[in-house]
Amino acid sequence: MELIERGEGEMNGVGNVFFWIITFFVLFVIVAPLAWIYLTAFKAPNDIFATEAKKLIFFQPTTENFHRLFREFPFWDNFLNTVIISVSSTVVVLVIASLAAYSFARWNTGKGHLLFNTISTRMFPGVVAAIPFFVMYRNLGLLDTRFGLTLLHIYFNVSFATFLLYGFFKEIPEELEQAAMIDGYSRADIFRRVVLPLVRPGIAVTAVFCLVWSWNEFLFSFLFTRMAARPVTVLISSFWGSIEVQYGPMAAGAAIAILPTLLVSWFMQRYIIRGLTFGAVKG
Amino acid sequence: MKAETPWETRTDFAVVRRSTVWEILTSEKYFKWTLLIPLLVVLAIFMLYPLLYCAYYSFHQWGMRGEAIYVGAQNYRQLLNDKAFLEALYRTLKVLVICVSCELLIGLGLALLWSRNFPGENVVRGLALFPLLVAPLILSLLWNFMFEYDFGAVNLVLQALGLNKVYWWSPERALYTICFITIWQWFPFATFVLVAGLRSLPKDVFEAARVDGASPWYTFRRLTLPMLSPLIMIIVVLRTMWLIRLFDPLYGTTRGGVQTELLDWIVYRTAFVYFDIGYGSTMAIFSLVLTIAVCAVMFKILMKALGGAH
Amino acid sequence: MKYRAWVSIGMVAILVLGFACMVLAQEKFGLKDIPEIKNKKAINMIVETGAAWDKVIEYIKQFETATGVKVNIERVASPVVYSKENVELMAGTGYYDVVYVETSWTCEWSDYLWSLEELAAQYDPKGVEGFQEDIQNISPVLLRCGQAYGKQMVLPFYTYHMGMFLRQDVYDDPTEQAAFKAKYGYDLKPPTSYKELYDQAEFFTRKKGDALKGQPLDHDLYGVAMMAGAYQINDEISCWIWGMGGDYATVVKNPDGTIKEFVITGKDKDALKQALTQYKDLLKFAPAGCLTANFDFACAQQGEGFAIIQPHQFASLFTWTADLLKEKVPDGRLGIYPTIGGQPYTGAWSLGVAKASKNPEAAYWLVRYIASYDCQKVLMKEGGQFSARMDLLLDPEFHSAETEYPLGLTCSYLVDIWKAQAPYVDNYWYFNTKAGGKVYEMQMNVLHKPMADASTIDECIRELVDKTIELTSKFDTVPIREE
């Protein structure tokens, strides 16, 4: 009966069966579509457009889609762009956001309004912001460069990263810092030697989120790149012709592109869940 | 010898000066602002510039060619009478309500189920996190095909089970299909936030309630829910902020057709298909003000909720 | 004498052969005719993904080898080609040298493009005449679609001219013919008026267990398959209103041929109302899925044998539909005919040269090369799309015993309809306004609404007229008014 109080306690036989039926159902709903990507990636066009249910699972596998993807499209170049852009933007975001989050958490700088303004930057419709950026980027020669897109991803991620880190910085007891001050540490030293080591888990969480968000970002990546700096999500979105959709290479590309994020969610699950609560629950 | 003296002096001067700036920056009074400099620079460039740009052009008629014509508040008047825009706004609210409530309900149910320790816990958690981290754009392309009428996996399975095929993208259903895709991607968020919340609840309070003979339903309503409310607020606020800007799920599916045009899509269409910068800017400013108003209220509640949880 | 006779016959033969070779060599412009390109700067272009370009891109490598100019090709999803190119053209980045143009954008982008005659005069050793001689082989309809204010801006890459697909085997069946005549009092033949289409759609709509060609059906049968989803319905409606002599707006010209104004006349609105009413009427005889269908659904319905007529479909999909039918209904056979009124929707993905290009010389030759006989043959044979070159469509290779059905049939249909439709194209509003692309985009949504009962037909027409005027006054300099 404690099931609905705190979701804990012993389960009887019926409860157990009920528990596992629901759990398996939910897992099926989650995993089936993703499994379908991987199945489709190994299908020939005829099997992709088959109208029998059994062909969903039973078919003659082929690696043709991957061959086409690698041969006819710059898949690995684009993949490399994604890696470079997401890693470099994450590093910069972490620096900027941890400084700012510390300030917000320790001194409540700007009395909450500033923190809110930071977050509200993400409420501006990106599509409209894109046009002034496009003109600015043209003048600066930043169009279709990794550096230019990295800058945009920094802007894109920095506000939520700040907010995420804010929760972690808030947890550090002020007494620790006061003690350090008595020991003669300067403010900068306290930040570097006392505070930063303590929020390392928070930084790890934030890094994961920024990496994933940047990895998955589409709109800016699509508008601000052509060939040289194009990330992999844009390539995958492009398999849509006027009278045909090439699902084979699309699925093959997606299968590879989502692999790192799947691995991250598998191995970093504890950290991710910790981050999702935005510091409201102590880990 | 004499010639060297000024050099030495200068060097000293430079050292002193450098440390002075550094000292000011890290002094008790200014340190908190120093820390914010990089953030404020980024925001000033990437936020203020487009904001001013849009504010300016929202009072002009301009399609990126020729001179912009000043038209006063005409764009705003047009916006308030624009049926398509108001419909998109209404649809966005509808999606917001449907998605947030479904995610919360599913999340709460699963959280109650999964907050205990059970064998295979890590496997379940690892798998259930997948949807959250996969690129929304890829998911929209995926679901578009899964819900296809003739070849889509969903209909093939329905058919194999002896059921009728369903037109998932029909005008009366497409918006709900979009909602489904969104809920599918985001219910793990609500679930795991609430799992974390449930696990952190103090045991003794519940012991006491049981000793007092309170019914489980009563305990759930009077103890569990109030204690979870800060987390529920987090979910509601963050999801609202993200849902108002819902864009990617439309991109690979209906592209705003079959009556699924949402707020961000109509802004996209105006700005990037029609290239009507004047009117698009007006939409952007209007929707920014609207979302900020909604979120300012929510944000206050959220900060209170965050404070309460500590 | 004998010896002399043979010699003279031989000489004549050699002369004739040589002359024939010369004529042939002159007629078909190809890679060998491209002169030395002095400007070696690499050129950039953007195209959509899909089989058509997959094959042609490989062929472009020959152009690179022959001319020494590198061609960078960016590939994006077809719905976003417009946005991607437009933002670069408007911002004046000069990045794209060759511009990929849907023909309803030709006028809109004419300020950003070189006219091809200008470039021919500058770079072509044969001058403008050589250029014009080569393009004579291109469909006059699509050439006109690629013109802006009388100048040739782009050359077609592949076309999606529409046509009516119907089940020839059913129309040729004596029992069906007799039953139809008995019921409606006239012969069963491909419809040429709305009434005939309606009668036939009604006639062929049958339940599972009813007979078709004397055999019982194991599924429901529908008279028509259409695509009332929000992507292609405006193309279908274009067929209807053009066929009735109407348009989205009437182009009024000055005596000197320049455009005076656009008028949405009462006749235009009547045609639109009639088209929408009849279209909606006809949906009774279509599978329910047609309400949200795109081309793929409609063709699949016919290919699976579930529907008898597609009143308007992209002709390029005829071969696919016919092949599907061959598989599902072995004795089935399709026929392709003009849509009601004989003025089907038309257009082509085309290529032009950007004014901001760093290398207009190479860009010009690439456009010519892609429109050439050899390249277009690759497009047709391997890319599965239809060229706009009539000489190619009439090539005996596509009209042999094996290729005549379904490929040759489509080719002949296209050539015939182009000849018949050519006089009308000049007046089609899409190809006279700078707002064509934008209005087109708007129409997709608005025209779909009454079919889904999201608005009445009158509301739909009101919205369409208002938005057409709004967009045209914003994006075109030609005045527009409603009558």
Side-chain angles (χ1 to χ4, degrees):
Chain A
M1 265 354 258
E2 279 177 75
L3 193 74
I4 55 169
E5 286 170 14
R6 293 186 53 221
E8 268 187 13
E10 303 295 312
M11 281 185 297
N12 53 23
V14 181
N16 228 334
V17 171
F18 173 77
F19 173 87
W20 284 112
I21 287 178
I22 294 200
T23 302
F24 275 113
F25 176 74
V26 172
L27 291 186
F28 173 78
V29 170
I30 288 173
V31 173
L34 298 171
W36 181 86
I37 293 185
Y38 284 90
L39 289 173
T40 307
F42 290 100
K43 280 182 191 173
N46 281 342
D47 292 325
I48 293 177
F49 290 102
T51 49
E52 305 149 77
K54 72 172 198 294
K55 287 257 177 149
L56 284 176
I57 303 173
F58 303 103
F59 57 91
Q60 184 68 42
T62 163
T63 52
E64 181 52 29
N65 293 325
F66 289 94
H67 284 300
R68 275 202 63 200
L69 187 67
F70 301 152
R71 200 178 49 232
E72 292 172 30
F73 300 93
F75 181 79
W76 293 114
D77 293 345
N78 293 347
F79 193 83
L80 183 70
N81 284 335
T82 297
V83 172
I84 291 173
I85 291 164
S86 54
V87 170
S88 49
S89 72
T90 299
V91 170
V92 180
V93 164
L94 286 179
V95 172
I96 297 176
S98 57
L99 294 177
Y102 177 56
S103 170
F104 286 130
R106 178 58 60 240
W107 292 280
N108 192 20
T109 318
K111 302 191 178 56
H113 300 300
L114 206 53
L115 181 58
F116 175 67
N117 276 328
T118 306
I119 294 163
S120 70
T121 55
R122 291 289 294 111
M123 292 173 215
F124 194 72
V127 268
V128 180
I131 287 177
F133 287 153
F134 196 92
V135 177
M136 177 168 85
Y137 268 41
R138 177 202 59 189
N139 296 338
L140 297 174
L142 286 176
L143 285 173
D144 199 22
T145 59
R146 290 175 195 149
F147 177 68
L149 191 56
T150 306
L151 283 181
L152 283 169
H153 280 194
I154 291 170
Y155 152 70
F156 177 81
N157 274 337
V158 78
S159 52
F160 269 114
T162 306
F163 189 51
L164 204 57
L165 279 168
Y166 170 78
F168 288 94
F169 278 107
K170 251 209 123 88
E171 279 175 22
I172 297 167
E174 231 181 313
E175 298 81 47
L176 258 175
E177 290 171 49
Q178 280 158 1
M181 279 200 110
I182 293 166
D183 290 349
Y185 281 87
S186 73
R187 274 289 172 197
D189 283 338
I190 293 176
F191 180 66
R192 235 176 343 196
R193 301 210 190 133
V194 180
V195 178
L196 268 190
L198 284 173
V199 289
R200 219 179 270 150
I203 291 186
V205 176
T206 314
V208 167
F209 275 93
C210 288
L211 271 175
V212 170
W213 282 331
S214 175
W215 193 276
N216 292 345
E217 202 277 334
F218 172 70
L219 187 68
F220 287 136
S221 308
F222 158 69
L223 294 173
F224 289 85
T225 63
R226 297 152 181 156
M227 292 176 79
R230 174 192 264 197
V232 78
T233 37
V234 182
L235 175 69
I236 293 168
S237 79
S238 75
F239 290 102
W240 193 338
S242 54
I243 55 169
E244 62 178 328
V245 183
Q246 300 183 324
Y247 285 106
M250 183 196 280
I256 302 176
I258 65 174
L259 206 55
T261 54
L262 295 186
L263 290 177
V264 160
S265 78
W266 185 263
F267 289 108
M268 305 283 285
Q269 32 175 296
R270 276 180 187 284
Y271 284 105
I272 290 169
I273 290 170
R274 177 94 172 74
L276 288 179
T277 61
F278 285 84
V281 176
K282 291 205 174 110
Chain B
M1 277 306 281
K2 260 194 176 172
E4 275 174 14
T5 325
W7 276 110
E8 255 171 29
T9 327
R10 234 196 214 161
T11 322
D12 285 343
F13 175 73
V15 168
V16 167
R17 208 177 138 66
R18 203 182 298 139
S19 68
T20 320
V21 172
W22 181 244
E23 265 170 29
I24 294 173
L25 285 176
T26 59
S27 72
E28 200 52 41
K29 197 171 165 200
Y30 292 111
F31 189 56
K32 60 177 183 178
W33 294 106
T34 311
L35 292 172
L36 284 178
I37 291 171
L39 178 76
L40 295 179
V41 168
V42 169
L43 292 186
I45 296 172
F46 285 97
M47 183 63 206
L48 240 48
Y49 169 60
L51 192 64
L52 295 175
Y53 185 99
C54 287
Y56 176 78
Y57 282 111
S58 71
F59 294 101
H60 290 74
Q61 183 182 316
W62 191 51
M64 274 187 97
R65 347 171 50 165
E67 289 293 302
I69 305 159
Y70 178 76
V71 291
Q74 190 201 308
N75 284 333
Y76 287 91
R77 272 198 297 276
Q78 189 188 342
L79 190 70
L80 293 176
N81 294 315
D82 188 339
K83 221 173 123 218
F85 182 77
L86 296 177
E87 274 172 13
L89 195 64
Y90 170 70
R91 262 181 230 124
T92 310
L93 292 179
K94 198 162 147 188
V95 168
L96 190 71
V97 171
I98 294 176
C99 289
V100 171
S101 50
C102 286
E103 282 167 27
L104 265 181
L105 282 178
I106 297 173
L108 193 61
L110 287 178
L112 288 170
L113 209 57
W114 287 349
S115 65
R116 66 178 54 75
N117 292 312
F118 57 92
E121 198 181 329
N122 283 346
V123 177
V124 169
R125 193 167 49 192
L127 291 175
L129 273 178
F130 280 170
L132 268 185
L133 301 184
V134 177
L137 178 88
I138 292 181
L139 287 179
S140 80
L141 295 167
L142 158 88
W143 282 110
N144 187 42
F145 193 51
M146 298 266 292
F147 281 129
E148 213 270 351
Y149 183 75
D150 272 316
F151 319 105
V154 175
N155 274 353
L156 291 186
V157 171
L158 286 181
Q159 231 178 358
L161 294 176
L163 300 167
N164 280 335
K165 294 202 272 186
V166 177
Y167 305 106
W168 295 103
W169 299 116
S170 74
E172 65 272 16
R173 224 172 265 134
L175 194 66
Y176 300 104
T177 309
I178 299 278
C179 285
F180 171 83
I181 297 173
T182 315
I183 294 168
W184 181 86
Q185 177 159 38
W186 283 98
F187 81 87
F189 174 62
T191 307
F192 288 112
V193 170
L194 293 173
V195 166
L198 282 172
R199 287 191 168 176
S200 71
L201 295 186
K203 280 200 168 97
D204 44 350
V205 184
F206 290 89
E207 285 297 329
R210 183 149 342 110
V211 172
D212 291 349
S215 76
W217 175 240
Y218 182 85
T219 328
F220 175 73
R221 226 162 27 120
R222 286 304 169 89
L223 279 178
T224 317
L225 270 188
M227 288 168 108
L228 283 181
S229 64
L231 291 170
I232 293 179
M233 270 322 295
I234 291 182
I235 297 168
V236 172
V237 174
L238 290 175
R239 290 299 293 136
T240 303
M241 285 163 70
W242 287 323
L243 276 167
I244 289 178
R245 295 270 81 90
L246 198 65
F247 177 82
D248 289 7
L250 292 180
Y251 191 90
T253 56
T254 61
R255 302 188 64 77
V258 283
Q259 287 149 56
T260 55
E261 191 158 71
L262 300 179
L263 198 55
D264 239 26
W265 190 271
I266 198 168
V267 178
Y268 166 78
R269 194 160 58 95
T270 310
F272 252 87
V273 178
Y274 295 154
F275 287 87
D276 188 344
I277 309 302
Y279 196 41
S281 298
T282 313
M283 285 184 176
I285 297 284
F286 183 85
S287 79
L288 178 72
V289 170
L290 191 77
T291 34
I292 286 191
V294 172
C295 292
V297 178
M298 292 196 149
F299 189 74
K300 271 219 177 91
I301 308 173
L302 174 68
M303 292 313 280
K304 231 180 248 162
L306 281 176
H310 281 295
Chain C
M1 274 312 276
K2 241 183 182 177
Y3 170 74
R4 273 199 177 178
W6 280 116
V7 167
S8 49
I9 289 173
M11 279 172 69
V12 169
I14 287 168
L15 269 172
V16 167
L17 263 177
F19 190 67
C21 285
M22 270 167 64
V23 167
L24 277 177
Q26 247 180 356
E27 203 174 52
K28 306 275 187 258
F29 166 85
L31 200 54
K32 60 191 178 329
D33 298 309
I34 299 178
E36 166 80 26
I37 295 176
K38 290 174 206 82
N39 190 338
K40 297 287 183 200
K41 277 196 194 117
I43 55 178
N44 303 317
M45 66 189 290
I46 187 170
V47 302
E48 59 183 320
T49 40
W53 279 106
D54 287 348
K55 301 301 171 195
V56 173
I57 280 175
E58 282 170 35
Y59 216 65
I60 288 177
K61 292 199 179 106
Q62 295 188 16
F63 175 87
E64 291 182 304
T65 328
T67 61
V69 176
K70 174 120 182 58
V71 183
N72 297 316
I73 299 171
E74 178 183 347
R75 308 188 68 186
V76 296
S78 126
V80 300
V81 170
Y82 176 82
S83 303
K84 281 288 277 183
E85 287 190 310
N86 204 26
V87 69
E88 301 263 0
L89 291 172
M90 282 179 156
T93 60
Y95 180 75
Y96 297 124
D97 300 277
V98 173
V99 183
Y100 196 43
V101 183
E102 206 282 328
T103 39
S104 64
W105 316 333
T106 315
C107 287
E108 184 186 343
W109 285 357
S110 56
D111 302 342
Y112 303 129
L113 301 176
W114 285 108
S115 101
L116 293 173
E117 283 106 345
E118 269 176 285
L119 292 175
Q122 201 171 345
Y123 300 116
D124 201 328
K126 288 183 194 147
V128 182
E129 291 76 29
F131 168 72
Q132 272 163 352
E133 200 182 301
D134 183 54
I135 63 171
Q136 262 173 15
N137 291 307
I138 297 176
S139 149
V141 169
L142 296 171
L143 273 184
R144 173 56 191 90
C145 295
Q147 287 168 3
Y149 315 110
K151 284 182 181 161
Q152 195 68 43
M153 309 308 293
V154 294
L155 292 183
F157 176 58
Y158 70 81
T159 175
Y160 26 79
H161 206 98
M162 278 183 148
M164 181 192 297
F165 301 1
L166 50 78
R167 281 282 294 280
Q168 197 65 53
D169 58 316
V170 175
Y171 273 75
D172 292 345
D173 185 76
T175 45
E176 295 296 339
Q177 284 175 342
F180 185 83
K181 179 131 197 196
K183 191 167 175 195
Y184 295 95
Y186 61 95
D187 287 332
L188 176 64
K189 57 178 176 35
T192 51
S193 71
Y194 171 70
K195 187 188 171 296
E196 288 172 14
L197 176 62
Y198 186 90
D199 287 349
Q200 293 172 12
E202 181 186 61
F203 176 66
F204 288 119
T205 302
R206 294 167 195 187
K207 288 270 164 256
K208 186 174 173 174
D210 292 353
L212 178 71
K213 297 202 291 179
Q215 303 292 319
L217 288 159
D218 59 358
H219 52 74
D220 288 347
L221 184 71
Y222 297 93
V224 287
M226 304 197 287
M227 9 187 215
Y231 293 101
Q232 278 102 18
I233 185 168
N234 51 338
D235 295 346
E236 293 188 297
I237 297 294
S238 297
C239 299
W240 286 77
I241 61 171
W242 288 349
M244 288 186 248
D247 205 332
Y248 298 107
T250 301
V251 181
V252 181
K253 291 190 176 165
N254 292 316
D256 66 349
T258 54
I259 299 167
K260 182 170 169 244
E261 59 173 349
F262 303 132
V263 185
I264 302 178
T265 62
K267 190 185 168 204
D268 290 335
K269 282 183 279 185
D270 289 345
L272 198 58
K273 178 158 185 170
Q274 202 182 335
L276 287 169
T277 315
Q278 292 173 347
Y279 187 102
K280 197 168 178 181
D281 250 10
L282 213 53
L283 276 174
K284 291 201 285 253
F285 308 119
C290 284
L291 208 53
T292 54
N294 298 328
F295 61 85
D296 50 351
F297 179 84
C299 287
Q301 291 296 309
Q302 193 171 43
E304 301 248 3
F306 299 157
I308 300 295
I309 314 168
Q310 287 197 76
H312 10 60
Q313 185 54 273
F314 304 107
S316 48
L317 295 166
F318 187 76
T319 44
W320 179 57
T321 316
D323 289 343
L324 190 62
L325 186 71
K326 214 181 288 174
E327 194 184 304
K328 303 283 177 176
V329 187
D331 62 340
R333 194 181 162 86
L334 289 182
I336 180 166
Y337 296 91
T339 56
I340 307 288
Q343 296 190 48
Y345 171 76
T346 187
W349 277 109
S350 313
L351 294 156
V353 179
K355 270 201 177 131
S357 166
K358 305 162 294 298
N359 190 353
E361 184 183 2
Y364 167 75
W365 287 115
L366 182 62
V367 170
R368 285 289 305 276
Y369 175 65
I370 293 174
S372 73
Y373 190 87
D374 298 341
C375 228
Q376 291 281 307
K377 196 164 186 175
V378 173
L379 169 78
M380 279 199 61
K381 284 178 72 177
E382 299 173 42
Q385 290 290 356
F386 280 85
S387 169
R389 284 189 77 104
M390 296 187 290
D391 54 347
L392 182 63
L393 296 185
L394 294 176
D395 190 305
E397 198 181 328
F398 301 129
H399 296 277
S400 69
E402 301 92 64
T403 55
E404 182 56 30
Y405 178 81
L407 187 60
L409 192 64
T410 322
C411 293
S412 313
Y413 162 76
L414 284 173
V415 173
D416 291 344
I417 191 84
W418 283 335
K419 283 180 182 154
Q421 204 177 350
Y424 304 106
V425 188
D426 195 39
N427 288 321
Y428 292 161
W429 183 71
Y430 279 147
F431 309 115
N432 282 293
T433 174
K434 290 187 172 166
K438 280 154 182 159
V439 171
Y440 183 92
E441 188 79 26
M442 174 274 292
Q443 288 171 337
M444 297 201 287
N445 258 315
V446 175
L447 288 171
H448 162 72
K449 280 187 189 171
M451 304 310 151
D453 286 323
S455 76
T456 66
I457 287 172
D458 287 324
E459 282 165 4
C460 163
I461 293 170
R462 192 68 258 146
E463 190 181 350
L464 197 78
V465 169
D466 289 346
K467 287 203 169 157
T468 304
I469 291 176
E470 182 196 322
L471 288 169
T472 311
S473 17
K474 260 187 186 168
F475 296 105
D476 202 335
T477 45
V478 177
I480 183 166
R481 65 184 169 90
E482 186 186 351
E483 193 175 84

